[in-house]
């Protein structure tokens, strides 16, 4: 039963094995605590006051653990399992053989759940992060290659919602995995929104400006396609040059803002060109 509970409690996590390991450790400690209370402390608690004092010392400490977010899962497991194993009745009737047999079986069940989880779910958070990141790269490459500006207004809302949903899934996973790409999820959102803004603004640009922006979009699409194939890890210098060139030509505030946003997202240390002075 405890093996099934351990699997079900943490099944929704990307990496359930460490949580099951913590649950296993807490159960071992709880069994030891329950054994001490049941066979060493309770026999000498001859009245209600002594019973309260006997339980107050360990359970007040467990309550302090539950009040701390970091230790709450451990404290909860200690409190529940210890209280269950003690099983206070109207009359003292503890049996060491039954207690030992039942609790060893429970610990063995949790240990089996840990080994089973390590066998069938060995991938963990990194696999989920990688899958979400690759989905973002694929969307950016597709949208940068899409040349139909008539559908971009509707797609902007759709893809913005999708990217933000992806970020909400990435943030806790990146925090848990201490990934080196912790900022990539946010950068992808900025690049994606900038790409859609440039696609929508293309019909309002002049021929030279359209040509420069299309070169940027083709480079963006090529870069993320290369990332999907594992050929590139960082944006190529040619893309930085094309972004700078497009910013020097474009006069549309919307397009210029999108280009700057894209430049900052893909090349954080890059020195952006000076603002174009407004015409008198």
């Amino acid at each position: 039963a405890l093996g099934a509970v351990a699997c079900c409690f943490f099944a929704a996590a990307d990496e359930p094995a460490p949580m099951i390991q913590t649950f296993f450790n807490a159960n071992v400690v709880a069994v030891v605590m329950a054994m001490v209370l049941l066979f060493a402390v309770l026999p000498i608690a001859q009245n209600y006051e002594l019973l309260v004092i006997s339980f107050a010392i360990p359970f007040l400490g467990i309550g302090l653990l539950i009040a701390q977010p970091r230790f709450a899962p451990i404290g909860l497991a200690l409190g529940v399992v210890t209280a269950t194993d003690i099983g206070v009745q109207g009359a003292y009737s503890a049996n060491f053989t039954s207690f030992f047999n039942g609790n060893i079986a429970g610990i063995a069940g949790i240990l089996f759940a840990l080994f089973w989880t390590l066998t069938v779910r060995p991938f963990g958070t990194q696999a989920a992060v990688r899958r979400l990141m690759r989905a973002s790269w694929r969307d950016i490459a597709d949208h940068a290659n899409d040349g139909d500006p008539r559908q971009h207004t509707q797609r902007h809302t759709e893809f913005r919602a999708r990217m933000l949903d992806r970020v909400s899934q990435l943030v806790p996973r990146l925090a848990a995995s201490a990934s080196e790409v912790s900022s990539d999820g946010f950068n992808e959102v900025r690049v994606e929104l900038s790409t859609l803004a440039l696609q929508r603004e293309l019909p309002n640009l002049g021929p030279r400006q359209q040509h420069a922006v299309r070169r940027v979009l083709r480079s963006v699409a090529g870069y993320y396609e290369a990332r999907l194939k594992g050929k590139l890890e960082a944006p190529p210098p040619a893309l930085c040059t094309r972004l700078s060139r497009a910013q020097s030509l474009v006069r549309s505030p919307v397009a210029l803002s999108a280009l700057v946003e894209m430049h900052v997202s893909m090349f954080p240390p890059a020195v952006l060109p000076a603002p174009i002075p407004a015409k008198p």
Side-chain angles (χ1 to χ4, degrees):
L2 280 177
V5 167
C7 288
C8 295
F9 268 8
F10 311 110
D14 291 320
E15 292 186 85
M19 299 180 183
I20 296 176
Q21 175 73 56
T22 302
F23 188 62
F24 171 79
N25 296 338
N27 270 267
V28 172
V29 174
V31 169
V32 174
M33 290 176 57
M35 185 168 58
V36 171
L37 288 169
L38 192 59
F39 298 105
V41 176
L42 288 185
I44 62 175
Q46 301 298 322
N47 54 49
Y48 179 75
E49 290 77 11
L50 288 176
L51 180 67
V52 171
I53 294 174
S54 301
F55 284 161
I57 296 173
F59 281 98
L60 284 175
I62 291 172
L64 291 175
L65 288 178
I66 295 176
Q68 300 291 326
R70 287 187 304 166
F71 305 114
I74 299 174
L76 186 61
L78 286 175
V80 171
V81 176
T82 302
T84 302
D85 288 346
I86 293 174
V88 176
Q89 304 294 327
Y92 181 79
S93 59
N95 184 289
F96 182 80
T97 303
S98 299
F99 176 87
F100 187 79
N101 182 53
N103 283 287
I104 288 299
I107 292 174
I110 300 173
L111 192 62
F112 172 79
L114 176 61
F115 289 149
W116 177 256
T117 302
L118 288 171
T119 302
V120 300
R121 295 188 60 184
F123 306 107
T125 303
Q126 290 292 341
V129 169
R130 187 69 178 172
R131 184 177 65 251
L132 289 167
M133 295 299 300
R134 289 180 63 84
S136 297
W137 299 343
R138 189 176 298 108
D139 275 352
I140 294 174
D142 291 343
H143 305 157
N145 279 325
D146 191 353
D148 185 3
R150 294 172 297 178
Q151 300 180 4
H152 290 306
T153 300
Q154 178 182 354
R155 290 187 174 184
H156 186 278
T157 302
E158 175 187 344
F159 292 133
R160 178 175 58 186
R162 182 187 300 176
M163 295 294 289
L164 292 177
D165 178 68
R166 240 176 239 143
V167 168
S168 70
Q169 297 182 57
L170 271 171
V171 168
R173 290 179 168 95
L174 291 172
S177 65
S179 174
E180 295 179 358
V181 295
S182 59
S183 64
D184 278 13
F186 301 100
N187 287 341
E188 257 72 27
V189 172
R190 297 166 70 184
V191 173
E192 171 72 359
L193 297 179
S194 300
T195 300
L196 292 172
L198 289 173
Q199 291 280 22
R200 289 200 318 272
E201 193 66 15
L202 267 176
N204 302 324
L205 303 179
R208 290 186 63 201
Q209 298 173 21
Q210 285 189 14
H211 177 70
V213 170
R214 284 198 173 98
R215 292 188 68 193
V216 168
L217 292 174
R218 284 197 297 269
S219 295
V220 170
Y223 164 60
Y224 282 103
E225 287 170 354
R227 289 203 76 175
L228 285 168
K229 297 175 183 177
K231 296 180 180 179
L232 283 178
E233 291 296 330
L239 176 54
C240 183
T241 303
R242 290 183 176 183
L243 279 165
S244 298
R245 173 64 178 168
Q247 289 173 66
S248 66
L249 291 174
V250 168
R251 296 294 185 270
S252 166
V254 175
L256 183 58
S257 175
L259 288 168
V260 172
E261 182 77 13
M262 186 180 290
H263 201 158
V264 172
S265 302
M266 302 185 77
F267 300 93
V271 179
L272 299 181
I276 299 172
K279 291 183 179 181

